Amino acid sequence: MHALNAPQREAVKYLDGPLLVLAGAGSGKTRVITHKIAYLIRDCGYAPGTIAAITFTNKAAQEMQERVGRLLENRSVRGLAITTFHALGLQILRQEAARIGYKPRFSVLDAADSLHLLAEILKTTDKSLLKRIQHRISRWKNDLVAPGAAATQADSEQAVAAARAYVAYQDTLRAYQAMDFDDLIRLPVELLERDPEARGKWQDRLRYLLVDEYQDTNLGQYRLMKLLAGARAAFTAVGDDDQAIYAWRGANVENLRLLQDDFPRLKVIKLEQNYRSTLRILRAANHLIAHNTKLFEKKLWSELGLGEPIHVFAARDDEAEAENVVMRIEAHRLQHRTHYGDYAILYRGNHQARPFEEALRARRIPYQVSGGQSFFERTEIKDITAYLRLIHNSDDDPAFIRAITTPRRGVGVQTLEKLGAYAASRHLSLFAAVFEVGFEAQLTARQYEPLAAFCHFINGLEYRAAREPAGVILQDMLRGIGYETWLFDQAEPRIAETRWANVQDFVGWLARKGEEEGKTLAELVQTVALMSMLDNREEDANAVRLTTLHAAKGLEFRHVFLVGVEEGILPHRECIENGQVEEERRLMYVGITRARESLTLSHCLKRRRAREFQVCEPSRFIAELPQDDLRISGRETDPMRDKQEGSARLAQLKAMLKGSS
Ligand SMILES: Nc1ncnc2c1ncn2[C@@H]1O[C@H](COP(=O)(O)OP(=O)(O)OP(=O)(O)O)[C@@H](O)[C@H]1O
Ligand SMILES: [Mg+2]
């Protein structure tokens, strides 16, 4: 308790009813949650299994788990649920599957799989059309609109078509015994609303709820929270309306107000001291966000001293920007003897990462990308995951197709088409259809054998998955399918090597996880599919962190480089056109407030677009910062000279350090 200030302590100890902690960035909201979990368990006698804390990403959940573990020292926290809304929804659905007509071993499709499925249903390969429909369906689901009801809400021909696709899509998912990501919220809500017994059971089980980053919950998540909290309304939600950056995914800051309407007894506690950033960084953040219309009045102050001015520099083009940032990091690190892990490069969109990755690689600086293409999205990892999904649920048709064709094992396209037609006519999954006499009769022995062998192979793995150590089975599986050889047949050696190394990383990680957590492969695969959708594998602590602003939420770094601060990027062009500049300003606010000791903003004078250069303007947000706190460089100077000076300075520093050590 001594590690908390007075209002934080009050928030931790308050158990008389629903509580909202509404406060700006870095004021210790997440800290309130971790301490409150510890307080509930240690001082109030709550069994860990009766508490659920909800975070925004798996990564944040992991971090929180570690912090709570440290606060409670050796006490066991078995059963304590620190998860995301989606993982909690999944947990509920696995246990209640029967109540909604699913097998407990249903599959969870990620965005790419669901796009595939839509393509099949709509018989089109038009990617942008498919993405639009997928997005539309996702919004309906987030707003808890059932497939049948979507058509009545459709206000254009396009929307009517999407509503029709939604119905077909949902039917197909059900036939595959599969769900998509959004179903993990929508279906539990539907279930708990409809089924008082299930509702009572979960309300009994979860005696206290804690929700971090509450401002970014969407309607479905809010409803789930309300259903779980029940009449007792024992919950603590913490959030900051100025950091609401997920409107595009259906999140609604109005949920903050809704909370006050729905729970008249709601107590609100505000935190005003920021423990993260220097005064200048904080001043910049406050100045910027003052340009937005206010939902709630908040103040923030800090005792961490004035700090360095905020550096703003212009670069010749995007490559020079990357070069310059990387050089600054290297120079700063040498000068201040810091670690690479103290630095973060934040950007608006994933495509901005490439030049930075290249510049970092060129200097052999370790880095880690998050919030972009996750490790799990890589083709080779998805190949292996397809096998795991199939072992887990043999009725998962998309996984079946991927596994049986990767590597190809002598099963022809025509055979697969026959199988598809037969399975459809008999309302069976592909896997189940293989074992039907009626199907076997349609094929020659040469056609049938490889199919049957494949299914027996999967069955064998499934049997072992519940019994043997994960590592052994996985290696056997890789050998059995000849994956390594296949990789090297497919791609040039350099690429194949990387892919094979990734596969070994993945398999090794699963094996370790199995050992550490005492889980069988069968148990492990249940979580893998979900993790893949959310974030990366474990971090390299001593690496420069590259991340999108969205994925940086809740995190903090000693030194932050916020790059591409230009009109059209931040604020994003589409958002300017659609009148969403306020959301972009919040995104910038999130970026600024990640910094603890120093903040550097950069923008380009020109940027490569296709094969041409485009002239760029600095973002309007730079003009909205307190100008006295900025140190601006590079706008008038010659960028080539900058670069040479940078290199010379770096060489000088290195020589100096060599001399001193
Ligand atoms: N009472 C305190 N004493 C010392 N340090 C604190 C205190 N409260 C918070 N901190 C530290 O301040 C930093 C910010 O805290 P935290 O991440 O909980 O803030 P937050 O409000 O959740 O921020 P965000 O809005 O970015 O999610 C952390 O490093 C935390 O350890
Ligand atoms: Mg936080």
Side-chain angles (χ1 to χ4, degrees):
M1 284 292 168
H2 54 266
L4 301 171
N5 63 29
Q8 287 174 336
R9 208 155 35 231
E10 185 189 3
V12 166
K13 288 192 164 172
Y14 185 79
L15 290 174
D16 298 338
L19 172 67
L20 171 66
V21 177
L22 187 63
S27 58
K29 296 182 297 297
T30 303
R31 191 179 178 102
V32 162
I33 292 203
T34 37
H35 278 76
K36 191 154 189 168
I37 298 171
Y39 175 71
L40 289 169
I41 295 173
R42 189 188 48 216
D43 301 298
C44 307
Y46 277 70
T50 62
I51 300 170
I54 294 159
T55 63
F56 208 71
T57 58
N58 282 338
K59 168 86 184 65
Q62 231 174 49
E63 228 174 80
M64 194 175 282
Q65 191 95 41
E66 283 160 21
R67 293 222 180 123
V68 172
R70 274 201 298 274
L71 285 174
L72 288 173
E73 283 159 7
N74 302 323
R75 197 185 290 258
S76 158
V77 289
R78 244 188 115 75
L80 171 65
I82 300 186
T83 61
T84 60
F85 268 115
H86 289 94
L88 181 64
L90 179 67
Q91 192 195 341
I92 296 174
L93 290 170
R94 287 259 182 250
Q95 291 183 32
E96 310 297 343
R99 291 182 199 259
I100 55 165
Y102 271 89
K103 295 184 305 187
R105 285 168 151 219
F106 57 81
S107 309
V108 182
L109 301 192
D110 65 12
D113 285 330
S114 105
L115 206 65
H116 238 80
L117 199 62
L118 272 176
E120 253 172 52
I121 293 168
L122 299 172
K123 307 216 178 325
T124 172
T125 49
D126 180 345
K127 255 255 166 79
S128 74
L129 172 74
L130 288 168
K131 284 227 151 129
R132 220 172 35 239
I133 293 183
Q134 184 183 39
H135 185 74
R136 194 64 264 231
I137 294 177
S138 171
R139 286 299 291 267
W140 273 319
K141 289 189 171 186
N142 288 332
D143 292 341
L144 299 174
V145 178
T152 60
Q153 291 201 358
D155 50 6
S156 67
E157 222 161 282
Q158 243 184 29
V160 172
R164 229 176 289 136
Y166 181 14
V167 174
Y169 171 70
Q170 207 55 35
D171 286 347
T172 314
L173 280 180
R174 195 167 267 278
Y176 283 172
Q177 285 285 309
M179 296 178 187
D180 68 12
F181 209 36
D182 301 315
D183 286 336
L184 300 182
I185 309 294
R186 191 179 67 91
L187 295 177
V189 167
E190 246 183 52
L191 167 73
L192 296 181
E193 270 177 355
R194 209 189 45 222
D195 186 334
E197 196 185 295
R199 189 168 63 237
K201 177 174 143 194
W202 283 92
Q203 287 177 352
D204 266 357
R205 180 176 307 179
L206 299 176
R207 319 284 304 175
Y208 206 91
L209 291 179
L210 304 107
V211 183
D212 199 1
E213 307 278 1
Y214 177 74
Q215 76 280 356
D216 279 323
T217 52
N218 59 36
L219 183 68
Q221 292 166 336
Y222 174 61
R223 198 73 73 73
L224 182 58
M225 169 185 143
K226 229 177 105 179
L227 283 162
L228 290 172
R232 196 174 344 119
F235 68 79
T236 297
V238 312
D240 176 7
D241 50 312
D242 290 331
Q243 294 187 67
I245 53 174
Y246 278 89
W248 54 283
R249 252 176 25 190
N252 192 351
V253 214
E254 286 297 318
N255 283 349
L256 277 168
R257 259 206 259 275
L258 213 54
L259 209 55
Q260 284 175 317
D261 295 343
D262 286 352
F263 299 94
R265 286 193 303 136
L266 183 75
K267 181 177 172 73
V268 180
I269 292 180
K270 296 192 176 183
L271 309 175
E272 291 179 344
Q273 180 167 4
N274 171 297
Y275 291 90
R276 180 180 292 149
S277 313
T278 66
L279 201 59
R280 275 199 163 115
I281 293 170
L282 209 54
R283 206 144 66 188
N286 285 340
H287 250 77
L288 176 84
I289 207 65
H291 289 80
N292 271 7
T293 43
K294 283 256 149 212
L295 262 189
F296 300 92
E297 208 45 59
K298 280 178 320 214
K299 288 189 273 296
L300 266 187
W301 55 277
S302 155
E303 276 179 349
L304 296 177
L306 192 60
E308 283 177 44
I310 290 156
H311 299 271
V312 180
F313 78 87
R316 185 185 64 237
D317 57 32
D318 40 0
E319 277 176 14
E321 181 187 35
E323 188 82 40
N324 195 322
V325 165
V326 170
M327 212 120 72
R328 280 169 193 252
I329 290 179
E330 191 64 330
H332 193 275
R333 188 186 66 99
L334 290 170
Q335 198 166 9
H336 297 270
R337 307 204 171 217
T338 49
H339 303 284
Y340 286 125
D342 293 329
Y343 299 86
I345 302 173
L346 311 182
Y347 37 79
R348 174 69 176 81
N350 275 315
H351 64 277
Q352 288 169 261
R354 189 197 45 86
F356 291 93
E357 286 197 56
E358 286 169 357
L360 288 161
R361 267 171 201 265
R363 292 192 179 269
R364 296 175 182 280
I365 296 176
Y367 69 90
Q368 205 234 346
V369 186
S370 51
Q373 197 209 18
S374 111
F375 180 72
F376 292 91
E377 299 286 323
R378 292 172 199 274
T379 324
E380 63 274 18
I381 302 304
K382 293 192 69 169
D383 286 345
I384 302 306
T385 323
Y387 280 88
L388 298 181
R389 276 167 47 191
L390 201 56
I391 292 170
H392 170 56
N393 169 15
S394 59
D395 295 337
D396 187 337
D397 283 1
F400 180 92
I401 297 284
R402 185 167 192 139
I404 199 156
T405 53
T406 323
R408 282 222 166 265
R409 46 171 61 70
V411 180
V413 176
Q414 280 174 357
T415 308
L416 285 177
E417 272 170 7
K418 271 190 193 162
L419 178 64
Y422 182 86
S425 72
R426 302 265 299 128
H427 299 288
L428 289 170
S429 69
L430 298 171
F431 195 95
V434 170
F435 293 104
E436 293 256 310
V437 184
F439 173 66
E440 190 181 345
Q442 293 183 8
L443 301 181
T444 64
R446 263 223 0 244
Q447 288 171 322
Y448 185 69
E449 247 157 43
L451 256 184
F454 173 75
C455 293
H456 284 304
F457 176 67
I458 296 295
N459 274 337
L461 290 173
E462 190 202 336
Y463 178 82
R464 292 175 59 193
R467 294 166 180 82
E468 292 174 38
V472 180
I473 311 170
L474 287 166
Q475 292 301 347
D476 284 354
M477 179 182 105
L478 289 176
R479 254 194 310 279
I481 62 182
Y483 196 72
E484 185 179 7
T485 319
W486 184 78
L487 275 181
F488 280 85
D489 289 346
Q490 290 294 304
E492 50 177 294
R494 208 168 44 87
I495 296 177
E497 251 162 48
T498 321
R499 292 193 178 154
W500 179 239
N502 285 337
V503 168
Q504 287 297 341
D505 266 8
F506 177 53
V507 167
W509 171 74
L510 273 178
R512 272 198 310 282
K513 226 170 136 59
E515 253 170 58
E516 282 164 15
E517 298 176 14
K519 282 186 176 158
T520 63
L521 183 59
E523 286 162 336
L524 286 173
V525 294
Q526 298 199 11
T527 49
V528 169
L530 186 68
M531 295 201 61
S532 67
M533 278 169 272
L534 292 169
D535 45 26
N536 287 344
R537 64 189 161 147
E538 306 104 277
E539 239 108 89
D540 182 353
N542 191 25
V544 174
R545 189 72 166 270
L546 268 68
T547 162
T548 62
L549 287 164
H550 281 100
K553 207 169 68 148
L555 307 178
E556 58 188 23
F557 307 95
R558 287 179 70 184
H559 307 288
V560 167
F561 290 80
L562 180 48
V563 303
V565 190
E566 290 150 38
E567 282 297 294
I569 293 188
L570 184 65
H572 196 273
R573 190 173 45 80
E574 274 169 35
C575 299
I576 300 175
E577 284 160 11
N578 300 334
Q580 293 156 344
V581 172
E582 293 215 338
E583 171 120 342
E584 295 290 292
R585 192 175 281 112
R586 290 193 290 269
L587 200 51
M588 174 94 179
Y589 175 82
V590 167
I592 293 175
T593 53
R594 297 312 95 199
R596 288 167 54 195
E597 294 169 33
S598 83
L599 173 66
T600 306
L601 310 176
S602 64
H603 63 94
C604 298
L605 302 175
K606 280 183 304 179
R607 205 172 261 283
R608 249 166 284 255
R609 276 279 152 76
R611 243 171 280 143
E612 283 170 35
F613 274 109
Q614 218 169 40
V615 176
C616 311
E617 261 181 78
S619 166
R620 67 189 76 185
F621 296 150
I622 295 181
E624 294 175 0
L625 301 176
Q627 299 300 306
D628 290 348
D629 288 327
L630 306 185
R631 183 183 295 159
I632 297 177
S633 65
R635 277 189 197 163
E636 266 89 29
T637 59
D638 171 9
M640 266 326 277
R641 210 188 57 205
D642 267 6
K643 193 172 158 181
Q644 284 158 3
E645 270 178 13
S647 294
R649 188 168 148 70
L650 201 61
Q652 214 179 354
L653 270 169
K654 279 187 175 157
M656 204 174 80
L657 286 169
K658 242 200 205 130
S660 74
S661 64

